[in-house]
PDB file of all heavy atoms in Angstrom:
ATOM      1  N   GLY A 539     -14.418  59.959  68.897  1.00  0.00           N
ATOM      2  CA  GLY A 539     -13.449  60.972  68.280  1.00  0.00           C
ATOM      3  C   GLY A 539     -12.049  60.508  68.214  1.00  0.00           C
ATOM      4  O   GLY A 539     -11.726  59.350  67.780  1.00  0.00           O
ATOM      5  N   LEU A 540     -11.102  61.238  68.808  1.00  0.00           N
ATOM      6  CA  LEU A 540      -9.733  60.914  68.735  1.00  0.00           C
ATOM      7  C   LEU A 540      -9.414  59.569  69.442  1.00  0.00           C
ATOM      8  O   LEU A 540      -8.481  58.939  69.073  1.00  0.00           O
ATOM      9  CB  LEU A 540      -8.903  62.057  69.351  1.00  0.00           C
ATOM     10  CG  LEU A 540      -7.360  61.969  69.189  1.00  0.00           C
ATOM     11  CD1 LEU A 540      -6.953  61.961  67.692  1.00  0.00           C
ATOM     12  CD2 LEU A 540      -6.755  63.159  69.902  1.00  0.00           C
ATOM     13  N   GLY A 541     -10.180  59.334  70.501  1.00  0.00           N
ATOM     14  CA  GLY A 541     -10.083  58.081  71.224  1.00  0.00           C
ATOM     15  C   GLY A 541     -10.166  56.874  70.240  1.00  0.00           C
ATOM     16  O   GLY A 541      -9.436  55.875  70.393  1.00  0.00           O
ATOM     17  N   VAL A 542     -11.147  56.941  69.304  1.00  0.00           N
ATOM     18  CA  VAL A 542     -11.276  55.773  68.449  1.00  0.00           C
ATOM     19  C   VAL A 542      -9.959  55.713  67.562  1.00  0.00           C
ATOM     20  O   VAL A 542      -9.449  54.663  67.292  1.00  0.00           O
ATOM     21  CB  VAL A 542     -12.470  56.016  67.509  1.00  0.00           C
ATOM     22  CG1 VAL A 542     -12.572  54.969  66.340  1.00  0.00           C
ATOM     23  CG2 VAL A 542     -13.755  56.016  68.405  1.00  0.00           C
ATOM     24  N   ASP A 543      -9.526  56.858  67.094  1.00  0.00           N
ATOM     25  CA  ASP A 543      -8.330  56.964  66.315  1.00  0.00           C
ATOM     26  C   ASP A 543      -7.113  56.254  66.984  1.00  0.00           C
ATOM     27  O   ASP A 543      -6.260  55.632  66.398  1.00  0.00           O
ATOM     28  CB  ASP A 543      -7.928  58.373  65.806  1.00  0.00           C
ATOM     29  CG  ASP A 543      -9.076  58.914  64.937  1.00  0.00           C
ATOM     30  OD1 ASP A 543      -9.893  58.144  64.413  1.00  0.00           O
ATOM     31  OD2 ASP A 543      -9.151  60.190  64.860  1.00  0.00           O
ATOM     32  N   VAL A 544      -7.048  56.601  68.249  1.00  0.00           N
ATOM     33  CA  VAL A 544      -5.943  56.070  69.009  1.00  0.00           C
ATOM     34  C   VAL A 544      -5.968  54.512  68.995  1.00  0.00           C
ATOM     35  O   VAL A 544      -4.921  53.876  68.831  1.00  0.00           O
ATOM     36  CB  VAL A 544      -5.928  56.668  70.522  1.00  0.00           C
ATOM     37  CG1 VAL A 544      -4.909  55.872  71.378  1.00  0.00           C
ATOM     38  CG2 VAL A 544      -5.493  58.109  70.421  1.00  0.00           C
ATOM     39  N   LEU A 545      -7.154  54.003  69.321  1.00  0.00           N
ATOM     40  CA  LEU A 545      -7.300  52.571  69.360  1.00  0.00           C
ATOM     41  C   LEU A 545      -6.994  51.960  67.946  1.00  0.00           C
ATOM     42  O   LEU A 545      -6.327  50.875  67.849  1.00  0.00           O
ATOM     43  CB  LEU A 545      -8.763  52.329  69.839  1.00  0.00           C
ATOM     44  CG  LEU A 545      -9.097  52.536  71.262  1.00  0.00           C
ATOM     45  CD1 LEU A 545     -10.466  52.152  71.609  1.00  0.00           C
ATOM     46  CD2 LEU A 545      -8.060  51.802  72.238  1.00  0.00           C
ATOM     47  N   ILE A 546      -7.406  52.645  66.887  1.00  0.00           N
ATOM     48  CA  ILE A 546      -7.144  52.081  65.569  1.00  0.00           C
ATOM     49  C   ILE A 546      -5.684  52.155  65.236  1.00  0.00           C
ATOM     50  O   ILE A 546      -5.105  51.277  64.768  1.00  0.00           O
ATOM     51  CB  ILE A 546      -7.920  52.898  64.567  1.00  0.00           C
ATOM     52  CG1 ILE A 546      -9.376  52.552  64.655  1.00  0.00           C
ATOM     53  CG2 ILE A 546      -7.442  52.565  63.112  1.00  0.00           C
ATOM     54  CD1 ILE A 546     -10.290  53.262  63.633  1.00  0.00           C
ATOM     55  N   ALA A 547      -4.978  53.167  65.745  1.00  0.00           N
ATOM     56  CA  ALA A 547      -3.514  53.262  65.634  1.00  0.00           C
ATOM     57  C   ALA A 547      -2.900  52.052  66.313  1.00  0.00           C
ATOM     58  O   ALA A 547      -1.963  51.458  65.825  1.00  0.00           O
ATOM     59  CB  ALA A 547      -3.045  54.635  66.158  1.00  0.00           C
ATOM     60  N   SER A 548      -3.416  51.721  67.514  1.00  0.00           N
ATOM     61  CA  SER A 548      -2.793  50.601  68.168  1.00  0.00           C
ATOM     62  C   SER A 548      -3.063  49.372  67.431  1.00  0.00           C
ATOM     63  O   SER A 548      -2.212  48.396  67.325  1.00  0.00           O
ATOM     64  CB  SER A 548      -3.253  50.454  69.657  1.00  0.00           C
ATOM     65  OG  SER A 548      -4.663  50.093  69.658  1.00  0.00           O
ATOM     66  N   GLY A 549      -4.164  49.276  66.790  1.00  0.00           N
ATOM     67  CA  GLY A 549      -4.495  48.135  65.886  1.00  0.00           C
ATOM     68  C   GLY A 549      -3.657  48.084  64.729  1.00  0.00           C
ATOM     69  O   GLY A 549      -3.163  46.982  64.361  1.00  0.00           O
ATOM     70  N   PHE A 550      -3.228  49.240  64.118  1.00  0.00           N
ATOM     71  CA  PHE A 550      -2.401  49.305  63.077  1.00  0.00           C
ATOM     72  C   PHE A 550      -0.986  48.652  63.498  1.00  0.00           C
ATOM     73  O   PHE A 550      -0.346  47.918  62.719  1.00  0.00           O
ATOM     74  CB  PHE A 550      -2.226  50.661  62.588  1.00  0.00           C
ATOM     75  CG  PHE A 550      -1.207  50.912  61.365  1.00  0.00           C
ATOM     76  CD1 PHE A 550      -1.468  50.266  60.155  1.00  0.00           C
ATOM     77  CD2 PHE A 550      -0.132  51.598  61.483  1.00  0.00           C
ATOM     78  CE1 PHE A 550      -0.674  50.447  59.080  1.00  0.00           C
ATOM     79  CE2 PHE A 550       0.774  51.670  60.524  1.00  0.00           C
ATOM     80  CZ  PHE A 550       0.480  51.157  59.208  1.00  0.00           C
TER      81      PHE A 550
END
Side-chain angles (χ1 to χ4, degrees):
Chain A
L540 190 58
V542 174
D543 296 340
V544 167
L545 292 178
I546 290 181
S548 71
F550 179 66

